[in-house]
Amino acid sequence: QLKLDSMSDSVSGQTVVDPKGYLTDLQSVTLKSDAEISDIKKARLLLKSVINTNPKHAPGWIAAARLEEVAGKLQDARAMALKGCEMCPGSEDVWLE
């Protein structure tokens, strides 16, 4: 607590580090274990194979987008969903994703 208090900058009237918010924010950080990271990599490889083998298969694109969302890569998830919409323009499920 003392270190965080000393990091505050009162010269400009604003604090650089909010001690209470900083500690609260640290609690919201989730760390992934090596097993979880390995599982995500395996799932990516599997879904890439599904998409490459049958690019018109809408559930493959949906699963790939959801995997990226769970992995915290929202930009990649959006890209997967967009590509799925391009490859499966008649699939309502992909468009809703």
Side-chain angles (χ1 to χ4, degrees):
Q1 184 72 20
L2 294 174
K3 279 188 173 183
L4 290 176
D5 287 337
S6 67
M7 291 175 66
S8 295
D9 176 22
S10 60
V11 174
S12 63
Q14 297 177 342
T15 57
V16 176
V17 176
D18 174 22
K20 292 180 182 116
Y22 179 77
L23 294 175
T24 303
D25 207 33
L26 282 178
Q27 292 173 355
S28 68
V29 175
T30 57
L31 299 175
K32 293 189 181 350
S33 70
D34 290 342
E36 287 176 306
I37 292 170
S38 176
D39 289 347
I40 289 171
K41 287 180 180 179
K42 286 178 187 175
R44 264 192 199 119
L45 190 62
L46 177 68
L47 290 171
K48 182 179 179 182
S49 174
V50 168
I51 289 168
N52 289 337
T53 303
N54 190 357
K56 300 290 184 187
H57 185 64
W61 291 104
I62 293 169
R66 288 183 180 169
L67 173 68
E68 295 305 331
E69 184 180 4
V70 168
K73 296 190 172 202
L74 296 182
Q75 291 289 63
D76 292 344
R78 286 187 190 112
M80 285 289 178
L82 182 61
K83 187 72 175 170
C85 289
E86 291 171 9
M87 298 303 291
C88 308
S91 172
E92 185 178 324
D93 291 335
V94 175
W95 283 95
L96 290 174
E97 188 65 29

